[in-house]
Amino acid sequence: MGSIKSNFKGWFGEKMTAVGMFLSLNKSTYKRFHDVIINAPDGTTQIDHVIISPYGIFVLETKNMKGWIFGNAKQRYWTQKIFKYSQKFQNPLHQNYKHVKTLQNLLDLSDEQVLSVVVFVGDSTFKTPMPENVTHGGGYVRFIKAQTEQRLSDVEVQKVIEAIESGRLAATFKNHRNHVKHVKEVVAKKNSEPRCP
């Protein structure tokens, strides 16, 4: 039951972010893709949102969480605290790094052209200073609009759009199920590896 609730929470957070993009980002400048599953060297990877513009390609990871959030760019795990309850979760910047690198390799782009953005939605509050690319609510729109340096030509933008349209896996139940299975296998493998004391 818990995983159904967390899957719904994640889905709802992604939809809230998608609606925010629709209302806030000019669609003639910013082309949006949602729930992009692409092949990665070790299986598949699922990207919540990809926004393509002359100012860069923005790879968004959405987190629908409540409570206090503690973390910094270099920590492997961040902490969510709700009253006396606290739990650790993977640093979303590290999680999004794989998405960014997979997309860079697929599209043959540089670090300067593909930017990682983490979006927290829900009733959460940052209790430690966050990097500028970790935002809450609509803060990701301000971050994206603040990028005004042209990083891709119009021709490159069109090539990227075509590559994502042709390179992504179809949004079918089977592809989603296969991706979830792959993620569970990766997590199980990590949990079974011995750790240094």
Side-chain angles (χ1 to χ4, degrees), residues 68 79-87:
W68 291 350
T79 302
Q80 174 192 35
K81 190 166 178 62
I82 304 170
F83 301 110
K84 292 181 180 180
Y85 168 81
S86 73
Q87 81 169 9

Side-chain angles (χ1 to χ4, degrees), residues 66-118:
K66 59 185 176 181
W68 291 350
I69 307 297
F70 299 85
N72 67 45
K74 296 186 179 190
Q75 287 176 306
R76 185 173 178 186
Y77 294 101
W78 288 7
T79 302
Q80 174 192 35
K81 190 166 178 62
I82 304 170
F83 301 110
K84 292 181 180 180
Y85 168 81
S86 73
Q87 81 169 9
K88 295 202 175 295
F89 61 98
Q90 183 183 9
N91 178 337
L93 289 167
H94 293 186
Q95 184 179 1
N96 212 25
Y97 179 80
K98 178 182 179 183
H99 302 155
V100 167
K101 287 301 173 189
T102 302
L103 212 50
Q104 277 181 300
N105 292 336
L106 175 72
L107 304 171
D108 195 26
L109 296 172
S110 70
D111 288 345
E112 293 75 34
Q113 293 173 304
V114 184
L115 294 93
S116 173
V117 183
V118 174

